[in-house]
Amino acid sequence: MSGPGSKPQLEVIAGGGTDPRAPLRELYVKYGGAVYGRCRYLLKDDTKAEDAMQDVFAKALEHQAGFRAEASPLTWLMKIATHHCLNLQRGERAGWRRRFEREERARSGVAGGPQALEHRDLVLKLLERFDLETQAAAIHYHVDEMTLEEVAALLGRSVPTVRKRLEAFAAACGEALS
């Protein structure tokens, strides 16, 4: 048990035992359905929710020493589940993921196939026309989906300078792609 001023451990809340995973096993039995429900609600997919639930309990096992008894174990698990699912959603919306999926479809002959590869090659040739800083600005802005302010800070340039470079690149692309 924990004394006054000491940090309560998960084992005290969930019941002790010799196996360090026993408290988590009890939490899984008791709260697994609720965690799955939260994951299912946020992800809107049974399979993804099941995987996410497993990840949540793995994270709980990894961070059980950080559990504070200021909240119930269910609250702690729901917080982990919510953050994990939101991070999964952000990852699915990331620009690099869409680009990767487009390239995979192009390689497999889906969604434009050779035509998509021709466009990619054309864009690469267009990039070669510009200096390295403009290339970096175009990639950070269009591929990495950074804001003008973020690109400017990264390159150590002003926002108007980055905007002019991107406008020049867009004009060249528009001419070449039309």
Side-chain angles (χ1 to χ4, degrees):
M1 280 238 144
S2 55
S6 69
K7 190 163 127 181
Q9 296 296 313
L10 186 59
E11 295 164 346
V12 173
I13 302 301
T18 56
D19 182 358
R21 294 170 298 189
L24 194 64
R25 189 174 299 120
E26 292 174 22
L27 290 177
Y28 186 84
V29 169
K30 189 171 184 180
Y31 301 120
V35 171
Y36 171 78
R38 171 67 56 96
C39 294
R40 175 68 179 92
Y41 174 77
L42 292 170
L43 299 175
K44 311 280 192 262
D45 180 274
D46 291 334
T47 305
K48 288 180 184 179
E50 289 172 12
D51 291 343
M53 180 183 71
Q54 298 298 325
D55 292 341
V56 167
F57 281 97
K59 287 180 180 190
L61 178 62
E62 183 179 330
H63 299 290
Q64 73 183 23
F67 174 72
R68 297 181 309 237
E70 295 169 2
S72 75
L74 177 61
T75 302
W76 178 62
L77 290 168
M78 289 302 211
K79 183 177 180 181
I80 295 171
T82 300
H83 286 282
H84 180 70
C85 291
L86 292 176
N87 285 337
L88 288 175
Q89 289 175 332
R90 272 187 221 106
E92 288 176 357
R93 290 189 310 258
W96 65 265
R97 183 178 295 265
R98 287 191 299 274
R99 179 174 166 236
F100 177 77
E101 289 169 351
R102 278 194 309 268
E103 288 176 2
E104 285 300 308
R105 283 193 304 268
R107 277 191 213 109
S108 67
V110 179
Q115 208 173 28
L117 289 175
E118 287 175 23
H119 280 273
R120 189 177 112 220
D121 290 340
L122 179 60
V123 170
L124 289 173
K125 287 178 185 173
L126 288 169
L127 276 170
E128 290 173 357
R129 293 184 189 174
F130 293 90
D131 61 285
L132 292 177
E133 193 169 275
T134 302
Q135 290 177 23
I139 290 169
H140 289 310
Y141 186 76
H142 293 290
V143 177
D144 298 337
E145 298 181 350
M146 295 173 75
T147 65
L148 283 173
E149 292 78 14
E150 291 170 332
V151 175
L154 184 68
L155 298 177
R157 300 288 183 199
S158 68
V159 171
T161 299
V162 170
R163 185 180 297 117
K164 286 178 189 174
R165 289 175 182 265
L166 290 173
E167 287 171 353
F169 178 74
C173 288
E175 292 170 9
L177 294 174
S178 54

